[in-house]
Amino acid sequence: MRFCILATRARGALGPRRLALVGGGALLFASSAAFADPAASPGFSGPLAPNPHPIAVNAGPFGDVTVTGQVSGLAIAQSHVTNAAGTVTSDTAADISNAQVEIQTTTGPLQLYVQAGAYSLPALGTSYLRSGKAQDLLFGPVPVAYAKAVLSKDLSITAGLLPTMIGAESTFTFQNMNVERGLLWNQEPSISRGAQVNYAHGKLSAAVSLNDGYYSGKFNWVSGTVAYAFDGSNTLTLIGAGSVSRSRHASYATPLAQNNGSIFNIIYTYSKGPLTLTPYLQYNRVERDDALGLNRSAATFGGALLAKYTLPKGFSLAARGEYLKSSGKDCGLASGCVPTNLLYGPHSDAWSATFTPTYQKGIFFARGEVSYTRIGKLEPGLGFGADANRRDQVRGLLETGFLF
């Protein structure tokens, strides 16, 4: 993530209504308010667009502080619900998808970013976890927060709670083309603690990071990315990341197998006029480690195509198609051996299709979504439905809210 906010001429004092929006944090700053240019963080891949005139507060010696946020809710209807403990087990549900605020400084040699609030992370092929429990089981009430040291116009260092550089989809609903994340995203880390060196010059950008992978608390992952923009419409990105030592930590946010593996992406982006296409490939691998109970090596390989098309009068259409297959060695006749599972059982596969029509006017948005997920080869007890043996699931969602 990069910062590129420039404060503009003040258009009025910070009134009580705006104070209510930005929350108690803004009350700490001395005070005149202005409108800033659109914030680059958090990043948006569209079709949703951030508020073009976010609030900027003059914080005296701290410089201008930009305040943005998201307030949104969703309704979900689904077939073949899985009875996973702690998740939604009904056919229909309503929840908060975002109630977040971002406070950031964007000038000077040291810049700060804090993102706090409630969130839910709906994803295909997994049970829905409500926003309240998502904070408890995933990344807490402050999922992203970091300091950025600007060393030159091309070079910077960030450290703290960092968004992952892996994959083509981001963590929170408002950042993405679709409301739900996809099957490939389920294999990736979302947020990591660590430090990252960033470089950008001309058509080339790159970053390398030492971090804790899938939020394990052990800084034993090295991640790197290189992107080259051939022109204004075509960009190629290569990503690689992996664990360099063993980690025994496992939690809802930290899958033991993936956290002891490696993952790679090839991402191509074409964007011209109303059309954006992002095809990408992903491979991740976990080696055998009997000490961790990973009795056999395993891997997944998949591909996805993300697409969006902007229509007149605030309407747009986004779609995603993807396929993911797992592979690995069997146990044969070995006693006490359990094959490593990365999907819906060893040698399982799945595909999905998602369509998301969207409407946005100013800071208000509304979007519907229908998705279909189909499991090919399935290990009994690892699928959908009350008995966990169903092979498919249909979901319909409606998300609406404001981006201030």
Side-chain angles (χ1 to χ4, degrees), residues 21-252:
L21 283 175
V22 303
L27 295 174
L28 298 176
F29 304 132
S31 258
S32 65
F35 290 99
D37 289 337
S41 297
F44 285 68
S45 63
L48 295 180
N51 181 4
H53 303 294
I55 295 171
V57 179
N58 187 324
F62 297 100
D64 288 335
V65 175
T66 300
V67 181
T68 57
Q70 306 79 35
V71 177
S72 62
L74 62 78
I76 181 173
Q78 54 189 340
S79 67
H80 301 160
V81 182
T82 303
N83 291 327
T87 64
V88 171
T89 57
S90 60
D91 294 340
T92 60
D95 194 18
I96 294 171
S97 55
N98 295 283
Q100 301 194 70
V101 63
E102 298 87 35
I103 300 174
Q104 57 189 293
T105 61
T106 60
T107 59
L110 180 62
Q111 301 170 12
L112 303 175
Y113 177 90
V114 177
Q115 180 174 338
Y119 51 87
S120 67
L121 307 181
L124 298 181
T126 62
S127 300
Y128 182 77
L129 185 68
R130 289 188 178 276
S131 57
K133 290 191 175 181
Q135 291 185 73
D136 295 337
L137 297 178
L138 294 172
F139 311 113
V142 184
V144 182
Y146 53 83
K148 177 182 180 182
V150 181
L151 305 182
S152 71
K153 67 176 183 178
D154 298 333
L155 187 65
S156 66
I157 299 175
T158 53
L161 300 168
L162 304 175
T164 183
M165 63 177 68
I166 310 300
E169 295 184 90
S170 299
T171 300
F172 303 102
T173 62
F174 64 88
Q175 295 180 281
N176 295 281
M177 298 184 189
N178 308 108
V179 181
E180 301 169 279
R181 304 296 73 70
L183 298 173
L184 273 64
W185 180 85
N186 285 335
Q187 299 291 320
E188 305 162 3
S190 298
I191 294 170
S192 303
R193 307 174 182 94
Q196 181 172 309
V197 179
N198 312 287
Y199 174 81
H201 183 80
K203 297 182 177 182
L204 179 68
S205 61
V208 62
S209 172
L210 175 65
N211 57 74
D212 69 345
Y214 292 76
Y215 213 69
S216 69
K218 183 175 183 179
F219 297 93
N220 66 332
W221 268 66
V222 176
S223 307
T225 180
V226 177
Y228 186 81
F230 297 97
D231 53 38
S233 299
N234 299 274
T235 302
L236 178 66
T237 304
L238 305 177
I239 302 171
S243 169
V244 297
S245 65
R246 179 184 295 152
S247 174
R248 298 181 180 277
H249 181 75
S251 68
Y252 201 96

Side-chain angles (χ1 to χ4, degrees), residues 341 344-346 348 377-384 387-391:
N341 175 34
Y344 298 107
S348 61
K377 185 177 180 181
L378 170 67
E379 180 81 8
L382 295 177
F384 300 116
D387 60 358
N389 286 320
R390 303 300 295 266
R391 293 180 179 272

Side-chain angles (χ1 to χ4, degrees), residues 279-365:
Y280 76 106
L281 299 174
Q282 181 168 287
Y283 175 79
N284 74 313
R285 182 172 179 83
V286 177
E287 299 295 343
R288 176 177 176 175
D289 190 334
D290 291 330
L292 294 176
L294 305 174
N295 302 133
R296 292 293 183 267
S297 61
T300 66
F301 179 75
L305 174 62
L306 309 176
K308 66 175 181 178
Y309 190 85
T310 302
L311 300 168
K313 298 182 179 180
F315 290 94
S316 59
L317 178 64
R320 176 185 56 222
E322 56 185 343
Y323 175 78
L324 185 64
K325 179 177 177 58
S326 65
S327 61
K329 294 185 177 180
D330 294 317
C331 287
L333 299 177
S335 61
C337 173
V338 178
T340 301
N341 175 34
L342 300 178
L343 194 56
Y344 298 107
H347 305 287
S348 61
D349 65 314
W351 64 271
S352 75
T354 306
F355 298 93
T356 311
T358 299
Y359 173 76
Q360 182 174 3
K361 184 173 183 179
I363 64 172
F364 170 78
F365 76 92

